[in-house]
Amino acid sequence: MSESLQDIARRLVVPQKGILAADESSGTIKKRFDTIGLPSTEENRRNYREMLFGATKAMHDHISGVILFDETIRQNAKDGTPLVKMIEDAGSLPGIKVDMGAIPMVGFPGETITEGLDGLGKRLAEYRRLGARFAKWRAAIAISKVLPTSGCVYANAHALARYAALCQSEDIVPIVEPEVLMDGKEATHDIERCHAVTEEVLRVVFEELVRMRVDLTAMILKPNMVVPGKDSGQVVGADEIAERTVAVFHASVPTVVPGIAFLSGGQGDEEATANLSAINRIKGLPWKITFSYGRALQAAALKAWDGKDANVEAGRAAFLHRAEMNGLATLGEWSEAKEKVAA
Protein backbone atom coordinates (compact mmCIF):
# COMPACT_ATOMS: atom_id res chain seq x y z
CA MET A 1 0.00 0.00 0.00
CA SER A 2 1.46 3.33 -1.06
CA GLU A 3 1.99 6.14 1.42
CA SER A 4 -0.64 8.86 1.63
CA LEU A 5 0.23 12.53 1.22
CA GLN A 6 -0.28 12.90 4.97
CA ASP A 7 2.25 10.11 5.57
CA ILE A 8 4.79 11.81 3.33
CA ALA A 9 4.25 15.18 5.02
CA ARG A 10 4.79 13.63 8.44
CA ARG A 11 7.96 11.85 7.25
CA LEU A 12 9.42 15.19 6.19
CA VAL A 13 9.21 16.62 9.72
CA VAL A 14 10.22 13.73 11.98
CA PRO A 15 12.37 14.73 14.99
CA GLN A 16 16.14 15.03 14.45
CA LYS A 17 15.68 15.31 10.68
CA GLY A 18 15.10 18.15 8.25
CA ILE A 19 15.07 18.97 4.56
CA LEU A 20 18.18 19.70 2.49
CA ALA A 21 17.44 22.46 -0.01
CA ALA A 22 19.71 21.48 -2.93
CA ASP A 23 17.56 23.24 -5.52
CA GLU A 24 19.84 26.15 -6.35
CA SER A 25 19.23 27.62 -9.78
CA SER A 26 22.05 27.74 -12.31
CA GLY A 27 22.76 31.36 -11.36
CA THR A 28 22.81 30.68 -7.62
CA ILE A 29 25.04 27.61 -7.81
CA LYS A 30 27.46 29.58 -10.02
CA LYS A 31 27.76 32.25 -7.32
CA ARG A 32 28.51 29.57 -4.73
CA PHE A 33 31.07 27.86 -6.94
CA ASP A 34 32.68 31.24 -7.63
CA THR A 35 33.62 31.40 -3.93
CA ILE A 36 35.90 28.37 -4.40
CA GLY A 37 36.99 29.22 -7.95
CA LEU A 38 35.14 26.29 -9.51
CA PRO A 39 33.47 26.57 -12.94
CA SER A 40 29.74 25.83 -12.84
CA THR A 41 29.68 22.99 -15.34
CA GLU A 42 27.09 20.22 -15.38
CA GLU A 43 29.76 17.73 -14.29
CA ASN A 44 30.89 19.88 -11.36
CA ARG A 45 27.31 20.45 -10.23
CA ARG A 46 26.71 16.69 -10.40
CA ASN A 47 29.91 15.94 -8.48
CA TYR A 48 29.02 18.44 -5.78
CA ARG A 49 25.56 17.06 -5.21
CA GLU A 50 26.81 13.48 -5.34
CA MET A 51 29.28 14.45 -2.61
CA LEU A 52 26.37 15.62 -0.43
CA PHE A 53 23.95 12.78 -1.18
CA GLY A 54 26.68 10.21 -0.63
CA ALA A 55 27.21 11.39 2.96
CA THR A 56 25.51 8.25 4.23
CA LYS A 57 25.32 9.00 7.96
CA ALA A 58 24.20 12.61 7.48
CA MET A 59 21.54 11.63 4.98
CA HIS A 60 20.25 8.60 6.89
CA ASP A 61 20.22 10.16 10.35
CA HIS A 62 19.34 13.79 9.71
CA ILE A 63 17.91 14.44 6.23
CA SER A 64 14.25 13.57 5.69
CA GLY A 65 14.04 14.95 2.16
CA VAL A 66 16.05 16.72 -0.53
CA ILE A 67 14.68 19.49 -2.74
CA LEU A 68 16.20 19.10 -6.22
CA PHE A 69 16.56 21.36 -9.26
CA ASP A 70 15.22 20.17 -12.64
CA GLU A 71 18.73 19.29 -13.81
CA THR A 72 19.56 17.29 -10.69
CA ILE A 73 16.46 15.10 -10.62
CA ARG A 74 17.52 13.82 -14.07
CA GLN A 75 21.22 13.25 -13.30
CA ASN A 76 23.13 10.06 -12.53
CA ALA A 77 26.12 9.64 -10.24
CA LYS A 78 29.53 8.80 -11.71
CA ASP A 79 28.76 5.07 -11.44
CA GLY A 80 25.45 5.50 -13.28
CA THR A 81 23.18 5.40 -10.22
CA PRO A 82 20.40 7.99 -10.50
CA LEU A 83 20.83 10.70 -7.87
CA VAL A 84 17.17 10.16 -6.95
CA LYS A 85 18.00 6.54 -6.09
CA MET A 86 20.96 7.64 -3.97
CA ILE A 87 18.59 9.81 -1.97
CA GLU A 88 16.00 7.04 -1.62
CA ASP A 89 18.64 4.46 -0.63
CA ALA A 90 19.70 6.79 2.19
CA GLY A 91 16.12 6.76 3.49
CA SER A 92 15.32 10.30 2.32
CA LEU A 93 12.53 11.54 0.08
CA PRO A 94 13.28 13.23 -3.28
CA GLY A 95 11.55 16.53 -3.91
CA ILE A 96 11.60 19.16 -6.64
CA LYS A 97 11.54 22.94 -7.01
CA VAL A 98 8.81 23.80 -9.50
CA ASP A 99 8.54 27.59 -9.53
CA MET A 100 10.26 29.50 -12.32
CA GLY A 101 11.57 32.30 -10.14
CA ALA A 102 10.41 35.75 -9.14
CA ILE A 103 10.09 38.57 -11.66
CA PRO A 104 9.18 42.25 -11.19
CA MET A 105 5.44 42.63 -10.62
CA VAL A 106 3.92 45.03 -13.13
CA GLY A 107 2.51 48.10 -11.41
CA PHE A 108 4.16 47.31 -8.09
CA PRO A 109 7.65 48.91 -7.98
CA GLY A 110 10.10 47.01 -5.80
CA GLU A 111 7.93 43.89 -5.58
CA THR A 112 7.95 40.53 -7.37
CA ILE A 113 5.58 37.77 -8.42
CA THR A 114 6.66 34.17 -8.81
CA GLU A 115 6.10 32.53 -12.21
CA GLY A 116 5.55 28.90 -13.16
CA LEU A 117 1.85 28.07 -13.03
CA ASP A 118 1.47 27.63 -16.79
CA GLY A 119 1.79 23.93 -17.61
CA LEU A 120 2.55 23.09 -13.98
CA GLY A 121 0.18 20.13 -13.85
CA LYS A 122 2.03 18.37 -16.69
CA ARG A 123 5.42 19.14 -15.17
CA LEU A 124 4.31 17.79 -11.80
CA ALA A 125 3.11 14.57 -13.42
CA GLU A 126 6.55 14.13 -15.04
CA TYR A 127 8.38 14.88 -11.79
CA ARG A 128 6.22 12.32 -9.99
CA ARG A 129 7.28 9.73 -12.58
CA LEU A 130 10.91 10.74 -11.98
CA GLY A 131 10.47 10.01 -8.27
CA ALA A 132 9.51 13.32 -6.64
CA ARG A 133 7.28 12.90 -3.58
CA PHE A 134 7.09 16.57 -2.66
CA ALA A 135 7.62 19.95 -4.32
CA LYS A 136 8.49 23.52 -3.40
CA TRP A 137 7.33 26.96 -4.57
CA ARG A 138 8.84 30.18 -3.19
CA ALA A 139 7.26 33.60 -3.02
CA ALA A 140 9.47 36.54 -1.99
CA ILE A 141 7.97 39.43 -0.02
CA ALA A 142 10.04 42.59 0.39
CA ILE A 143 9.85 45.00 3.33
CA SER A 144 10.41 48.76 3.12
CA LYS A 145 8.69 51.85 4.51
CA VAL A 146 5.79 51.26 2.09
CA LEU A 147 6.11 47.56 1.27
CA PRO A 148 4.68 45.05 1.03
CA THR A 149 1.48 46.12 -0.69
CA SER A 150 -1.68 44.13 -0.21
CA GLY A 151 -1.79 43.50 -3.96
CA CYS A 152 1.61 41.80 -3.97
CA VAL A 153 0.84 39.73 -0.88
CA TYR A 154 -2.48 38.55 -2.30
CA ALA A 155 -1.10 37.73 -5.77
CA ASN A 156 1.73 35.63 -4.35
CA ALA A 157 -0.54 33.92 -1.84
CA HIS A 158 -2.98 33.02 -4.61
CA ALA A 159 -0.17 31.57 -6.75
CA LEU A 160 1.09 29.53 -3.79
CA ALA A 161 -2.41 28.15 -3.23
CA ARG A 162 -2.93 27.22 -6.88
CA TYR A 163 0.47 25.51 -6.92
CA ALA A 164 -0.35 23.58 -3.75
CA ALA A 165 -3.69 22.38 -5.12
CA LEU A 166 -2.02 21.20 -8.34
CA CYS A 167 0.63 19.32 -6.34
CA GLN A 168 -1.94 17.42 -4.32
CA SER A 169 -3.87 16.56 -7.48
CA GLU A 170 -0.69 14.86 -8.78
CA ASP A 171 0.02 12.98 -5.53
CA ILE A 172 2.81 15.33 -4.46
CA VAL A 173 3.09 17.07 -1.08
CA PRO A 174 3.47 20.85 -1.51
CA ILE A 175 5.98 22.86 0.48
CA VAL A 176 4.53 26.36 0.65
CA GLU A 177 7.29 28.98 1.00
CA PRO A 178 6.24 32.60 1.56
CA GLU A 179 9.55 34.26 2.44
CA VAL A 180 9.49 37.68 4.05
CA LEU A 181 12.97 38.84 3.09
CA MET A 182 15.65 39.88 5.57
CA ASP A 183 16.93 42.49 3.10
CA GLY A 184 16.35 46.10 4.04
CA LYS A 185 18.47 48.86 5.52
CA GLU A 186 15.72 51.09 6.87
CA ALA A 187 15.53 51.44 10.62
CA THR A 188 11.82 50.65 10.20
CA HIS A 189 12.75 47.09 9.14
CA ASP A 190 13.14 46.00 12.73
CA ILE A 191 11.86 42.83 14.35
CA GLU A 192 8.52 44.43 15.17
CA ARG A 193 7.96 45.23 11.50
CA CYS A 194 8.98 41.72 10.43
CA HIS A 195 6.60 40.31 13.05
CA ALA A 196 3.63 42.28 11.70
CA VAL A 197 4.39 41.60 8.04
CA THR A 198 5.03 37.88 8.53
CA GLU A 199 1.79 37.46 10.46
CA GLU A 200 -0.21 39.22 7.75
CA VAL A 201 1.46 37.31 4.92
CA LEU A 202 0.79 33.94 6.56
CA ARG A 203 -2.80 34.91 7.31
CA VAL A 204 -3.45 35.71 3.65
CA VAL A 205 -1.59 32.60 2.46
CA PHE A 206 -3.77 30.30 4.56
CA GLU A 207 -6.93 32.11 3.51
CA GLU A 208 -5.99 31.38 -0.10
CA LEU A 209 -5.01 27.78 0.63
CA VAL A 210 -8.43 27.19 2.15
CA ARG A 211 -10.15 28.99 -0.73
CA MET A 212 -8.32 26.76 -3.23
CA ARG A 213 -9.38 23.65 -1.24
CA VAL A 214 -5.85 22.59 -0.37
CA ASP A 215 -5.70 19.81 2.23
CA LEU A 216 -3.80 21.48 5.07
CA THR A 217 -2.98 18.09 6.61
CA ALA A 218 -0.94 17.18 3.52
CA MET A 219 1.39 20.17 3.16
CA ILE A 220 4.45 21.69 4.80
CA LEU A 221 4.93 25.40 5.52
CA LYS A 222 8.40 26.82 4.81
CA PRO A 223 8.47 30.33 6.32
CA ASN A 224 11.08 32.80 7.49
CA MET A 225 11.78 33.31 11.15
CA VAL A 226 10.79 36.64 12.65
CA VAL A 227 14.09 38.51 12.58
CA PRO A 228 15.16 42.13 12.04
CA GLY A 229 16.38 43.25 8.63
CA LYS A 230 19.98 42.18 8.29
CA ASP A 231 21.18 45.76 7.77
CA SER A 232 18.77 47.42 10.21
CA GLY A 233 21.37 47.61 12.97
CA GLN A 234 19.05 45.93 15.48
CA VAL A 235 20.51 43.10 17.55
CA VAL A 236 18.01 40.56 18.88
CA GLY A 237 18.62 37.37 20.86
CA ALA A 238 17.45 33.89 19.92
CA ASP A 239 14.83 33.77 22.68
CA GLU A 240 13.01 36.86 21.41
CA ILE A 241 13.18 35.58 17.83
CA ALA A 242 11.70 32.31 19.02
CA GLU A 243 8.92 33.91 21.04
CA ARG A 244 7.89 36.25 18.24
CA THR A 245 8.04 33.54 15.58
CA VAL A 246 5.87 31.18 17.61
CA ALA A 247 3.43 34.01 18.40
CA VAL A 248 3.04 34.62 14.65
CA PHE A 249 2.34 30.94 14.04
CA HIS A 250 -0.28 30.79 16.79
CA ALA A 251 -1.98 33.78 15.16
CA SER A 252 -1.78 32.60 11.54
CA VAL A 253 -1.06 28.87 11.07
CA PRO A 254 -3.83 26.28 11.56
CA THR A 255 -2.88 23.54 13.99
CA VAL A 256 -3.79 20.82 11.46
CA VAL A 257 -0.68 21.69 9.42
CA PRO A 258 1.68 18.79 10.24
CA GLY A 259 4.94 20.66 10.11
CA ILE A 260 6.91 23.85 9.65
CA ALA A 261 10.37 23.68 8.04
CA PHE A 262 12.23 26.98 8.25
CA LEU A 263 14.29 28.58 5.53
CA SER A 264 17.52 30.14 6.79
CA GLY A 265 16.98 33.34 4.81
CA GLY A 266 20.53 34.64 4.92
CA GLN A 267 21.24 33.82 8.57
CA GLY A 268 24.67 32.48 9.46
CA ASP A 269 25.09 28.72 9.87
CA GLU A 270 25.19 28.67 13.68
CA GLU A 271 22.69 31.52 13.94
CA ALA A 272 20.07 29.55 12.00
CA THR A 273 20.73 26.50 14.20
CA ALA A 274 20.58 28.48 17.45
CA ASN A 275 17.31 30.15 16.52
CA LEU A 276 15.73 26.85 15.48
CA SER A 277 16.75 25.29 18.78
CA ALA A 278 15.30 28.21 20.75
CA ILE A 279 11.99 27.81 18.94
CA ASN A 280 11.89 24.09 19.73
CA ARG A 281 12.54 24.77 23.42
CA ILE A 282 9.11 26.38 23.62
CA LYS A 283 6.71 23.83 25.07
CA GLY A 284 3.35 22.74 23.71
CA LEU A 285 3.84 23.48 20.01
CA PRO A 286 1.12 21.80 17.91
CA TRP A 287 3.37 21.54 14.85
CA LYS A 288 6.59 19.62 14.21
CA ILE A 289 9.20 22.29 13.63
CA THR A 290 12.38 21.60 11.68
CA PHE A 291 14.71 23.03 9.03
CA SER A 292 14.77 23.28 5.25
CA TYR A 293 18.17 24.90 4.83
CA GLY A 294 20.28 25.38 1.73
CA ARG A 295 23.35 27.52 2.26
CA ALA A 296 23.20 27.10 6.07
CA LEU A 297 23.65 23.33 5.61
CA GLN A 298 26.01 23.44 2.64
CA ALA A 299 28.42 26.35 3.03
CA ALA A 300 30.93 24.54 5.24
CA ALA A 301 30.72 21.39 3.11
CA LEU A 302 31.31 23.33 -0.10
CA LYS A 303 34.38 25.04 1.38
CA ALA A 304 35.81 21.76 2.70
CA TRP A 305 35.19 19.94 -0.60
CA ASP A 306 36.70 22.77 -2.68
CA GLY A 307 35.83 20.97 -5.92
CA LYS A 308 38.47 18.28 -5.41
CA ASP A 309 37.93 14.50 -5.43
CA ALA A 310 40.51 14.18 -2.67
CA ASN A 311 38.33 16.31 -0.41
CA VAL A 312 35.04 14.43 -0.81
CA GLU A 313 35.20 12.89 2.66
CA ALA A 314 36.14 16.23 4.20
CA GLY A 315 33.11 17.80 2.55
CA ARG A 316 30.88 15.00 3.82
CA ALA A 317 32.26 15.39 7.34
CA ALA A 318 31.45 19.11 7.31
CA PHE A 319 27.96 18.36 6.01
CA LEU A 320 27.44 15.73 8.72
CA HIS A 321 28.46 18.21 11.42
CA ARG A 322 25.91 20.82 10.36
CA ALA A 323 23.23 18.16 9.88
CA GLU A 324 23.89 16.81 13.37
CA MET A 325 23.74 20.26 14.92
CA ASN A 326 20.43 21.04 13.23
CA GLY A 327 19.14 17.62 14.24
CA LEU A 328 19.80 18.63 17.85
CA ALA A 329 18.02 21.93 17.19
CA THR A 330 14.83 20.10 16.17
CA LEU A 331 14.79 18.77 19.74
CA GLY A 332 15.67 22.12 21.31
CA GLU A 333 18.96 20.57 22.46
CA TRP A 334 21.60 22.49 20.51
CA SER A 335 24.13 24.55 22.46
CA GLU A 336 27.35 26.38 21.74
CA ALA A 337 29.16 23.85 23.91
CA LYS A 338 27.86 20.94 21.80
CA GLU A 339 28.77 22.86 18.64
CA LYS A 340 32.38 23.21 19.77
CA VAL A 341 32.72 19.66 21.07
CA ALA A 342 31.39 18.18 17.82
CA ALA A 343 33.40 20.46 15.52
Side-chain angles (χ1 to χ4, degrees):
M1 185 175 178
S2 62
E3 291 178 290
S4 68
L5 293 180
Q6 289 82 1
D7 292 334
I8 295 296
R10 287 191 291 266
R11 277 185 61 186
L12 288 169
V13 293
V14 295
Q16 300 189 62
K17 290 188 176 185
I19 300 165
L20 168 63
D23 60 326
E24 299 91 352
S25 67
S26 299
T28 299
I29 198 72
K30 181 183 183 303
K31 290 177 183 177
R32 294 187 181 173
F33 281 5
D34 284 347
T35 66
I36 61 171
L38 184 69
S40 183
T41 64
E42 181 178 354
E43 181 180 10
N44 284 337
R45 293 190 294 271
R46 187 275 314 278
N47 291 344
Y48 172 57
R49 281 156 175 157
E50 183 178 349
M51 182 271 292
L52 292 173
F53 306 158
T56 306
K57 184 171 175 56
M59 292 289 293
H60 182 271
D61 292 355
H62 301 295
I63 303 299
S64 58
V66 182
I67 309 171
L68 301 171
F69 192 57
D70 179 81
E71 175 185 72
T72 318
I73 200 171
R74 306 173 191 278
Q75 284 180 318
N76 295 331
K78 287 180 181 178
D79 66 2
T81 304
L83 294 184
V84 165
K85 189 174 188 304
M86 285 186 67
I87 293 166
E88 292 172 335
D89 288 348
S92 298
L93 293 164
I96 183 70
K97 171 187 174 178
V98 296
D99 70 70
M100 296 297 187
I103 62 168
M105 187 169 171
V106 174
F108 292 79
E111 296 187 293
T112 62
I113 182 72
T114 301
E115 291 192 313
L117 287 172
D118 289 348
L120 179 57
K122 291 181 180 179
R123 288 194 289 123
L124 286 166
E126 181 189 15
Y127 287 137
R128 184 65 186 85
R129 290 191 296 271
L130 290 170
R133 301 309 312 273
F134 67 98
K136 189 203 80 168
W137 179 290
R138 173 179 177 265
I141 307 295
I143 290 182
S144 75
K145 293 178 181 178
V146 295
L147 302 180
T149 62
S150 60
C152 172
V153 171
Y154 170 78
N156 278 288
H158 182 70
L160 279 166
R162 288 185 60 198
Y163 140 80
L166 284 165
C167 282
Q168 292 181 347
S169 75
E170 295 295 340
D171 196 33
I172 287 176
V173 170
I175 291 183
V176 174
E177 181 179 354
E179 178 180 2
V180 176
L181 300 171
M182 285 179 67
D183 302 331
K185 296 182 179 180
E186 295 92 346
T188 53
H189 189 171
D190 55 17
I191 195 167
E192 289 83 2
R193 178 85 169 121
C194 182
H195 184 143
V197 171
T198 301
E199 184 173 318
E200 175 65 10
V201 167
L202 291 180
R203 182 188 66 78
V204 176
V205 165
F206 278 100
E207 285 179 355
E208 286 304 297
L209 289 168
V210 170
R211 188 171 286 120
M212 292 295 106
R213 302 180 179 179
V214 172
D215 183 349
L216 302 186
T217 69
M219 61 158 284
I220 301 296
L221 177 66
K222 182 174 177 175
N224 55 283
M225 297 177 190
V226 175
V227 295
K230 62 184 179 182
D231 297 318
S232 67
Q234 187 180 36
V235 178
V236 177
D239 288 342
E240 182 177 353
I241 289 169
E243 289 167 6
R244 286 183 174 275
T245 301
V246 170
V248 163
F249 293 161
H250 280 305
S252 308
V253 181
T255 57
V256 296
V257 174
I260 296 169
F262 284 107
L263 56 90
S264 54
Q267 298 179 70
D269 297 2
E270 289 187 28
E271 181 185 12
T273 306
N275 289 336
L276 175 62
S277 194
I279 290 166
N280 275 305
R281 285 196 296 271
I282 296 176
K283 303 299 182 183
L285 299 175
W287 317 273
K288 299 293 185 184
I289 294 187
T290 187
F291 57 92
S292 179
Y293 293 164
R295 188 208 50 74
L297 267 177
Q298 297 180 48
L302 176 64
K303 183 177 180 181
W305 174 59
D306 199 34
K308 299 178 175 64
D309 288 344
N311 295 338
V312 166
E313 292 309 315
R316 288 174 176 169
F319 177 45
L320 172 61
H321 174 65
R322 287 264 45 88
E324 286 179 333
M325 292 300 98
N326 283 296
L328 288 172
T330 68
L331 305 174
E333 296 178 359
W334 175 90
S335 68
E336 290 185 8
K338 290 180 180 177
E339 179 83 42
K340 291 174 182 176
V341 167

